[in-house]
Amino acid sequence: MRGIRFRRNFGKAAALNAGFRAALGDVVLTLDADLQDDPHEIPRFLAEMDAGFDVVSGWKQTRHDPWHKVGPSRVFNCLVGALTGVKLHDHNCGYKCYRREIFREVRLYGELHRFVPVLAAARGYRVSEIVIHHRPRKFGHSKYGLWRIPKGFLDLMTVKFLTGYGQRPQHVLGMIGLGSFALGGIGLTILLLWRLASWRLSFLDPIHLHERVTFYLSLGGLLLGAQLMSIGFIAELITHTQGREEHVYSIAERTDDKRPEPAEETTTVG
């Protein structure tokens, strides 16, 4: 048994990251210490790993948690599945089993520990799920409440950006900016043509641009679009010049030596 104690509470992601770095085996299993997770499920996790999967997530089909945890969790799981394509019934479940090699390519920080299956799937690892026995809480109290909903949504947006556009940020920022810029430009062009036509055609009422809400909306669209595209260019420059040396792919094996492709522990997910 190898114990690790932090100098202070650095969060669950940091604790898991330290544990993954200290682990020596090829398979790593995590479960909460409040005794709600049943250790008798461990052989079933290992059997699913032997079936060829790289990540096995637990599904607390029958949950013994209060409604203010169960309801938001179900909404959150639906959002994660819809946005990432990794459809698990319980992304928040801490009872999971991983191949240790995953954490050579997936770096945990913030609250991203809940999205390891998503980050692993983005690298091509196979993800599965099994129904587990969930016990009622007898010790301690939950540290999660309704405040985790907005935080979880922001983390989900971060994961979606990392897995979809981490190596090409301009594709999302630039497209949004280009659309905003185009709408603003079209609005200003229509107003300008209307203004010029009102000078020439007597049956058209003259307009004053500063009195039109459309003028300010169009101007705001132009400015917002220009800013987003500029941020996208800066993000591309940072990715190109300051990004870590990393592979945007993941090799399972090679025909020459049959060994997994080596990867640095500091590699981030693209």
Side-chain angles (χ1 to χ4, degrees), residues 59-90:
W59 172 20
K60 296 173 288 188
Q61 190 174 32
T62 302
R63 296 188 60 170
H64 298 279
D65 289 320
W67 66 269
H68 60 81
K69 287 187 62 179
V70 177
S73 179
R74 289 176 178 172
V75 174
F76 176 79
N77 290 321
C78 292
L79 284 175
V80 175
L83 289 177
T84 66
V86 181
K87 300 185 182 300
L88 298 178
H89 292 86
D90 195 356

Side-chain angles (χ1 to χ4, degrees), residues 60-270:
K60 296 173 288 188
Q61 190 174 32
T62 302
R63 296 188 60 170
H64 298 279
D65 289 320
W67 66 269
H68 60 81
K69 287 187 62 179
V70 177
S73 179
R74 289 176 178 172
V75 174
F76 176 79
N77 290 321
C78 292
L79 284 175
V80 175
L83 289 177
T84 66
V86 181
K87 300 185 182 300
L88 298 178
H89 292 86
D90 195 356
H91 284 270
N92 287 318
C93 181
Y95 208 171
K96 291 183 173 68
C97 193
Y98 314 90
R99 299 201 185 278
R100 189 166 63 93
E101 64 190 68
I102 290 176
F103 299 99
R104 298 176 184 174
E105 305 179 27
V106 174
R107 187 170 67 94
L108 297 184
Y109 60 92
E111 296 291 327
L112 297 188
H113 56 87
R114 289 180 290 176
F115 300 98
V116 172
V118 175
L119 298 172
R123 304 290 293 181
Y125 290 100
R126 298 183 62 193
V127 179
S128 180
E129 183 179 49
I130 63 172
V131 177
I132 60 173
H133 175 226
H134 189 238
R135 297 166 167 172
R137 178 183 293 275
K138 294 183 179 180
F139 305 97
H141 61 276
S142 175
K143 298 179 177 62
Y144 297 100
L146 295 177
W147 57 268
R148 73 183 295 185
I149 299 176
K151 291 184 177 181
F153 181 76
L154 292 176
D155 289 334
L156 176 57
M157 293 296 99
T158 299
V159 170
K160 178 61 178 177
F161 185 85
L162 289 176
T163 57
Y165 304 98
Q167 295 295 320
R168 43 194 177 97
Q170 183 67 298
H171 283 198
V172 59
L173 296 174
M175 288 300 296
I176 297 175
L178 190 62
S180 178
F181 192 88
L183 290 175
I186 292 173
L188 286 180
T189 300
I190 293 174
L191 289 175
L192 178 61
L193 293 176
W194 188 357
R195 175 66 172 170
L196 294 175
S198 66
W199 287 347
R200 297 286 185 177
L201 303 175
S202 59
F203 60 87
L204 288 179
D205 295 331
I207 65 170
H208 302 284
L209 296 181
H210 67 280
E211 296 177 351
R212 295 283 176 173
V213 176
T214 308
F215 172 75
Y216 296 102
L217 292 177
S218 300
L219 189 61
L222 283 175
L223 294 176
L224 177 62
Q227 286 183 335
L228 286 175
M229 286 189 288
S230 299
I231 293 173
F233 283 124
I234 294 174
E236 289 283 352
L237 288 173
I238 293 174
T239 301
H240 177 71
T241 60
Q242 303 296 330
R244 291 182 177 87
E245 184 68 24
E246 65 176 15
H247 298 301
V248 296
Y249 52 83
S250 178
I251 296 177
E253 62 179 2
R254 299 191 299 189
T255 57
D256 51 355
D257 58 4
K258 299 294 184 181
R259 290 178 298 178
E261 180 74 5
E264 298 293 332
E265 291 190 354
T266 55
T267 300
T268 57
V269 176

